[in-house]
């Protein structure tokens, strides 16, 4: 069974450009999470969805960040406009359950974003 | 104060050594606890959940002390392949909080 799939794996862009990160959760999982990891701040939860509905977006840093989950098998995280401080590895994770946080989360390989 | 704190290490130990990591958390109402492992430039993967009674999985033992609000991970007979960063994770009101991780290097 395929794990969580993320694309692209690497993205290099210039400041001010729009960036879209994509995630396909594990089939049958009903919770999806977006995380950001940097050396300075570690792994931070940005937003999570349960049954395609955003439950907690308090970790989204600012209005430049938006996330959608149009169906159970696809989610996007968009940054518009991007800034150099957005450079990080962005992980998507999914789990099965209704609690959102207590079930085992399976992480995708991440997207390494560099904003010049 | 950080919500989840870990000693960043690095811990450099010889093969066969026993090594222990601790993690403290600030929210006494936290509900569940985990240890994740992250290899260099890879994604975090669940190592084990941590139960109140303590639990063991082969060479790995996890313990939880709710009164003192800390979690521990003990690795016995360490292998070269145990080299990784170990992340302490606390579920805080349906919000997974990750520690910054403790880096372990096992040397021959």
């Amino acid at each position: 069974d395929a794990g969580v799939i993320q694309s692209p794996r690497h993205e290099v862009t210039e400041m001010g450009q729009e960036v879209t990160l994509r995630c396909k959760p594990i089939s049958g999982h009903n919770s999806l999470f977006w995380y950001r990891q940097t050396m300075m701040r570690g792994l931070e939860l940005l937003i999570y969805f349960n049954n395609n509905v955003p439950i907690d977006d308090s970790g989204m840093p600012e209005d430049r960040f938006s996330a959608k989950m149009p169906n159970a098998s696809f989610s996007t995280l968009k940054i518009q406009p991007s800034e150099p401080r957005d450079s990080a590895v962005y992980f998507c994770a999914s789990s099965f359950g209704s609690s959102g946080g207590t079930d085992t989360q399976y992480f995708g390989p991440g997207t390494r974003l560099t904003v010049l | 104060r950080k919500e989840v704190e870990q000693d960043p290490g690095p811990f450099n130990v010889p093969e066969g050594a026993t090594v222990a990591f601790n993690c403290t958390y600030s929210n006494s109402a936290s509900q569940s606890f985990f240890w994740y492992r992250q290899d260099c430039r890879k994604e975090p993967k669940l190592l084990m959940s941590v139960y109140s009674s303590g639990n063991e999985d082969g060479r790995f033992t996890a313990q939880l002390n709710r009164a003192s609000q800390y979690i521990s991970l003990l690795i016995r007979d360490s292998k070269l392949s145990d080299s990784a960063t170990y992340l302490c994770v606390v579920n805080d009101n349906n919000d997974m909080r990750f520690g910054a991780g403790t880096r372990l290097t096992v040397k021959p």
Side-chain angles (χ1 to χ4, degrees):
Chain A
D1 183 24
V4 175
I5 298 172
Q6 290 188 246
S7 64
R9 294 292 305 275
H10 302 272
E11 175 82 30
V12 180
T13 191
E14 291 187 343
M15 183 173 63
Q17 296 298 305
E18 177 180 297
V19 175
T20 299
L21 310 181
R22 297 173 177 79
C23 175
K24 176 178 168 53
I26 292 172
S27 178
H29 282 190
N30 60 355
S31 292
L32 182 141
F33 309 81
W34 282 102
Y35 290 89
R36 177 172 68 176
Q37 187 173 38
T38 61
M39 288 292 290
M40 290 293 293
R41 300 174 67 91
L43 199 61
E44 303 172 282
L45 177 66
L46 300 177
I47 184 171
Y48 85 86
F49 296 83
N50 184 251
N51 293 322
N52 311 340
V53 176
I55 302 300
D56 182 359
D57 65 354
S58 59
M60 295 285 263
E62 47 196 276
D63 291 346
R64 298 185 296 106
F65 286 69
S66 62
K68 293 183 179 179
M69 191 164 186
N71 57 62
S73 59
F74 184 65
S75 177
T76 59
L77 177 67
K78 187 176 291 187
I79 308 172
Q80 165 65 12
S82 58
E83 296 182 3
R85 61 191 167 119
D86 301 331
S87 298
V89 180
Y90 291 80
F91 288 105
C92 176
S94 70
S95 69
F96 175 73
S98 60
S99 59
T102 59
D103 309 293
T104 300
Q105 295 185 18
Y106 297 85
F107 283 74
T111 295
R112 187 171 295 274
L113 173 65
T114 302
V115 183
L116 303 174
Chain B
R1 183 185 169 189
K2 290 183 181 176
E3 291 161 340
V4 181
E5 292 205 56
Q6 292 182 250
D7 181 343
F11 284 64
N12 297 309
V13 303
E15 264 186 299
T18 295
V19 61
F21 308 136
N22 288 328
C23 165
T24 58
Y25 60 95
S26 60
N27 186 354
S28 59
S30 296
Q31 301 156 337
S32 52
F33 311 87
F34 309 88
W35 283 101
Y36 274 69
R37 170 194 168 129
Q38 186 172 24
D39 292 288
C40 187
R41 301 180 79 86
K42 298 284 189 179
E43 71 274 21
K45 292 184 179 178
L46 178 67
L47 179 66
M48 58 197 304
S49 301
V50 186
Y51 302 119
S52 297
S53 54
N55 47 300
E56 191 173 303
D57 183 2
R59 298 181 292 108
F60 298 83
T61 301
Q63 299 215 310
L64 167 64
N65 184 319
R66 284 189 185 270
S68 301
Q69 293 179 213
Y70 81 78
I71 307 148
S72 65
L73 177 68
L74 182 78
I75 305 175
R76 291 182 300 278
D77 188 24
S78 53
K79 312 290 184 190
L80 297 177
S81 58
D82 293 334
S83 297
T85 295
Y86 290 83
L87 303 167
C88 171
V89 186
V90 175
N91 175 35
D92 187 357
N93 194 27
N94 280 341
D95 187 355
M96 296 275 274
R97 301 286 177 175
F98 284 75
T102 298
R103 192 150 56 94
L104 171 67
T105 301
V106 181
K107 299 187 173 180

